[in-house]
Amino acid sequence: MEVHDLSGGAGVLARVEEAARRALRRYDLSPHAAVTLISVSENATFAVEDSGSRTILRVHRLGYHTLDAIVSELDWLEALRAEAGIRTPAVIPARDGSRVVTVEDPGAERRACVMFEFLPGGEPAEDRLAEHFEPLGALTARMHRHAREWARPSAFTRFHWDCDAAFGPIARWGRWQDGAGVDKEAHAVLTRLEAALRDRLGRFGKGRERYGLIHADLRLANLLVDGQAGTSVIDFDDCGLGWYLYDFGAAVSFIEHHPQVPQMIDSWLRGYRTVLDLPKDDEDEIWTFVMFRRLLLVAWIGSHTGVEFARELGAGYTRGACELAERYLSGSL
């Protein structure tokens, strides 16, 4: 696993902000444009204010994606917008027409940067989650239908979200065994969970109707609900090849214990089936993908200790994962 360089503290973030300011010089912006850090997760995201207009600049972490992979992400994001009617943020090209610009980061490699339009809306309200999951199911199915039909560019390249990427020797987000609070007892439970997931997903298979190009991070924070415009999908940074049902597992990221999850599942399925068929055998594995994502997130928290949200979740998230794992393994989910 690559070291998450953006977890390196205030000094690194100061350099990343300087890289962001250098990137802005490549765009048609005034020299007085204001740059404000919004968040740090896999990448650093900045709001850019210039003469009353607002855009979003993403500064990439080092070592996570190649330039070809970033271009491939943008190709799909733009195709969804143009061909499937999915509201995604438009990519704003630099002055020379480049969609991806690279700039010097003092003391590091060159960083890739992408500018997006600012889209209105906010995260779905927690007291109306089940209600939001029906349109989310339909939206997800439209994305899956496009992914199946889309002729990818010849240079298209994105990584996989399969068992090897999750639990293999070079796991993408690190080893769950190194997660916060993984003591002897938790290790035993989660080892059983990993074995069960590998077995069930091995039998589920990677047939064309089950495995393909997915967003892979359709959690609530990446949905913008606007009363007039509808729902927008942002942050395609993790999009790649995986099981289509993984997109539901990602949708309940960090809220897997919510008492409305069964209703969310029913609502999501109802919406999904207005666009695409979903066989009963696939529906029966929904909790498999919830637990697959949950175990990945235990690893993510352990490998992102410099990210405030990961620190806040900490060992409590691992304890919750063990509780859910016991229920899953006993067949009570």
Side-chain angles (χ1 to χ4, degrees):
M1 184 199 70
E2 298 285 349
V3 175
H4 187 2
D5 70 294
L6 296 184
S7 299
V12 173
L13 287 179
R15 294 206 317 265
V16 171
E17 183 170 340
E18 176 58 28
R21 294 184 184 280
R22 292 183 181 191
L24 295 187
R25 299 170 194 163
R26 306 274 297 275
Y27 293 87
D28 285 323
L29 297 169
S30 77
H32 307 295
V35 181
T36 306
L37 180 68
I38 298 175
S39 65
V40 176
S41 182
E42 293 308 319
N43 308 303
T45 305
F46 295 87
V48 181
E49 304 276 354
D50 184 42
S51 303
S53 67
R54 189 180 194 193
T55 54
I56 302 296
L57 182 72
R58 184 176 70 191
V59 180
H60 281 259
R61 61 177 280 193
L62 302 176
Y64 197 55
H65 289 302
T66 64
L67 284 177
D68 284 344
I70 296 171
V71 169
S72 296
E73 171 206 344
L74 303 181
D75 284 342
W76 190 41
L77 178 150
E78 292 180 323
L80 282 168
R81 182 186 180 93
E83 300 168 9
I86 305 293
R87 286 184 53 81
T88 63
V91 180
I92 299 174
R95 195 177 298 110
D96 64 1
S98 301
R99 292 183 298 170
V100 183
V101 302
T102 61
V103 295
E104 293 288 345
D105 173 350
E109 306 167 33
R110 295 182 67 85
R111 287 191 186 273
C113 304
V114 180
M115 186 172 285
F116 299 96
E117 72 168 320
F118 172 79
L119 291 176
E123 186 174 326
E126 187 170 339
D127 61 351
R128 297 171 57 196
L129 287 179
E131 176 184 335
H132 285 296
F133 266 68
E134 184 166 347
L136 174 58
L139 183 150
T140 306
R142 288 165 59 202
M143 294 174 69
H144 292 172
R145 181 173 62 190
H146 181 270
R148 290 173 183 171
E149 298 172 351
W150 184 46
R152 299 175 203 160
S154 59
F156 188 90
T157 178
R158 295 295 294 181
F159 49 42
H160 285 256
W161 291 104
D162 56 12
C163 286
D164 191 51
F167 314 130
I170 310 178
R172 178 145 301 112
W173 284 344
R175 296 168 3 110
W176 63 258
Q177 293 89 338
D178 299 324
V182 178
D183 55 17
K184 183 177 180 180
E185 183 179 350
H187 189 281
V189 174
L190 297 180
T191 296
R192 289 167 49 219
L193 174 63
E194 180 189 330
L197 293 173
R198 284 183 176 276
D199 176 64
R200 292 191 73 132
L201 292 172
R203 287 186 280 117
F204 191 68
K206 294 181 178 180
R208 182 179 179 276
E209 297 303 306
R210 289 177 167 175
Y211 193 95
L213 184 57
I214 58 173
H215 182 281
D217 198 19
L218 274 177
R219 57 194 175 97
L220 302 182
N222 289 331
L223 302 173
L224 297 176
V225 178
D226 181 77
Q228 295 182 333
T231 300
S232 302
V233 183
I234 62 173
D235 194 359
F236 281 69
D237 184 57
D238 282 329
C239 76
L241 300 169
W243 288 282
Y244 290 117
L245 283 178
Y246 179 79
D247 272 340
F248 178 83
V252 293
S253 294
F254 310 117
I255 58 169
E256 301 93 340
H257 276 88
H258 197 289
Q260 287 191 33
V261 167
Q263 292 95 323
M264 293 179 212
I265 292 173
D266 290 342
S267 295
W268 190 89
L269 287 169
R270 190 161 51 248
Y272 195 95
R273 285 177 168 142
T274 64
V275 178
L276 287 176
D277 180 42
L278 190 73
K280 181 64 166 55
D281 288 348
D282 293 44
E283 178 184 337
D284 290 344
E285 296 299 335
I286 282 181
W287 273 103
T288 297
F289 289 99
V290 173
M291 297 311 302
F292 180 80
R293 171 72 169 188
R294 178 90 186 206
L295 194 51
L296 263 168
L297 290 176
V298 170
W300 182 85
I301 290 168
S303 63
H304 288 67
T305 54
V307 176
E308 183 178 356
F309 182 53
R311 290 197 303 271
E312 291 172 355
L313 291 166
Y317 192 78
T318 298
R319 288 193 298 273
C322 290
E323 294 168 7
L324 279 176
E326 292 282 23
R327 293 174 60 194
Y328 173 78
L329 293 165
S330 69
S332 62
L333 285 177

